[in-house]
Amino acid sequence: MLVDSPPEQRAETAPAPPTRRAIRTLGLLLSVGLLVLVALASIAIGAKALPLDQVWHGLFHDSGTFSDVVVGDRISRTVLGLLVGAALGLSGAVLQALTRNPLADPGLLGINAGASAAVVTAITYFGVTSLSGYVWFAFGGAAAVGALVWFLGGSRGATPVRLALAGTAISAALYGYLQAVMITDDAALGKMRFWTVGSLASATDSTIRQVAPFLAVGTALALALARPLNAMAMGDDTARALGANLNRTRALSMAAATVLCGAATAACGPIVFVGLMVPHVVRSFTGPDLRWILPYATVLSPVLLLGADVLGRMAARPAELQVGIVTAILGGPVFIFLVRRRRTAQL
């Protein structure tokens, strides 16, 4: 005859409920699985419809047929989307932590404006026409603006408010310069029209090789800053008491965001809202701990970017909408919703 165990013994032998850490880990693994599915969709779906058997053949053969070439181009496009999406999400999360503003994005500190202004200058005054040339000018412009924002923000005495104000002022000046050059130079306007909206359509193996080292360094640096940025989130005095070096953390955060956003913008032009939306959404279910926000943003930002790219290819067949247009269309309403919710929470 079976005898029920005492309540105390049943409580001891019952399986423990999953911890929050285990749930987060499981969620991260599911996010990786979702990323794999979206990446496969990016290879299989395009402005040119291809049967799945031709897509499969193109993945593992290189016979020079039209379908193989198309699939090869889509693979490069997907890889660049993975790298750029991760970079934008990470840079957005770092900048939100640095400025203590959950609505901040990589454009807040003028990095996008610096890259765009440098490319306009390269086209107008130096006759640069190749994407490989754009990459280096754009990255140099982003790095220069990042250093200038750091200097104007107070260098060692920089604060989140000073950095945001310096970035906003520099962005306004650079976008004014950009518009002036493009309006007065028809050739520059024609060449910049495609680049300024943000697109993965020109992805090549050469572009990936050029930006990959910068993205790898920026990603490693951003992930390493999770603990000191967590300390800074509790206030400067508390961060100092916990042993965080505020000046070094702010300088390295600026460097990481500049490298990530600069290389991403150099590769495919300015793409908005990815660095804003994904970290903000991730924070809603991971909490404020950057040790989880940064890995989640690294995985889910490419999901958004590649998903938007696939949507743009399907929406206007046989042409396509650039991914920068799609993210702007999706991001505008999301940004308004986030601002209204934040305002309501403060009332």
Side-chain angles (χ1 to χ4, degrees):
M1 182 176 65
L2 297 177
V3 179
D4 288 341
S5 302
E8 295 81 1
Q9 185 176 347
R10 289 201 302 270
E12 291 176 359
T13 58
T19 64
R20 189 167 186 177
R21 180 184 180 87
I23 294 174
R24 288 171 173 172
T25 302
L26 177 60
L28 190 58
L29 293 175
L30 292 175
S31 299
V32 172
L34 178 61
L35 178 59
V36 172
L37 292 177
V38 174
L40 292 176
S42 178
I43 297 173
I45 302 172
K48 173 65 177 179
L50 291 177
L52 289 179
D53 61 328
Q54 292 186 23
V55 174
W56 181 262
H57 183 274
L59 284 173
F60 300 102
H61 302 83
D62 187 15
S63 59
T65 64
F66 174 77
S67 60
D68 293 348
V69 172
V70 170
V71 172
D73 291 342
R74 290 181 188 175
I75 292 175
S76 297
R77 185 170 183 161
T78 300
V79 171
L80 184 62
L82 290 171
L83 296 176
V84 168
L88 293 175
L90 264 179
S91 60
V94 168
L95 289 176
Q96 288 175 12
L98 177 64
T99 61
R100 298 174 192 166
N101 180 0
L103 299 180
D105 75 334
L108 180 67
L109 298 186
I111 297 173
N112 284 345
S116 299
V119 172
V120 170
T121 301
I123 291 174
T124 305
Y125 299 110
F126 297 100
V128 177
T129 58
S130 67
L131 184 62
S132 60
Y134 293 167
V135 166
W136 295 104
F137 274 93
F139 183 78
V145 169
L148 183 60
V149 168
W150 176 249
F151 173 76
L152 294 178
S155 299
R156 292 184 176 274
T159 63
V161 174
R162 288 181 180 178
L163 291 174
L165 290 175
T168 301
I170 292 174
S171 293
L174 288 178
Y175 278 123
Y177 163 77
L178 188 153
Q179 295 298 323
V181 171
M182 293 177 65
I183 289 173
T184 57
D185 190 326
D186 292 338
L189 176 61
K191 294 173 183 176
M192 283 294 297
R193 185 181 295 115
F194 182 78
W195 188 84
T196 52
V197 297
S199 174
L200 297 173
S202 299
T204 63
D205 293 341
S206 175
T207 304
I208 294 171
R209 286 194 298 268
Q210 288 177 359
V211 301
F214 296 107
L215 296 178
V217 171
T219 298
L221 181 57
L223 293 175
L225 289 169
R227 288 183 180 275
L229 285 173
N230 272 343
M232 287 178 56
M234 294 183 286
D236 290 358
D237 293 337
T238 302
R240 290 191 188 95
L242 293 174
N245 187 319
L246 301 185
N247 291 327
R248 182 177 63 189
T249 300
R250 286 178 179 137
L252 291 177
S253 298
M254 279 290 299
T258 298
V259 170
L260 288 169
C261 188
T265 304
C268 54
I271 296 177
V272 297
F273 287 119
V274 175
L276 165 68
M277 287 190 291
V278 175
H280 195 90
V281 171
V282 165
R283 192 180 296 108
S284 67
F285 58 83
T286 64
D289 191 346
L290 284 160
R291 292 174 299 176
W292 290 101
I293 292 175
L294 295 181
Y296 266 98
T298 304
V299 174
L300 291 179
S301 295
V303 171
L304 173 61
L305 187 63
L306 288 177
D309 191 41
V310 171
L311 183 61
R313 282 182 264 173
M314 296 175 61
R317 283 178 171 174
E320 64 176 75
L321 291 176
Q322 281 71 42
V323 66
I325 296 175
V326 179
T327 58
I329 293 173
L330 296 176
V334 173
F335 182 76
I336 294 173
F337 169 76
L338 294 177
V339 170
R340 288 183 60 85
R341 191 177 70 171
R342 181 173 173 81
R343 182 180 177 183
T344 301
Q346 292 175 345
L347 294 179

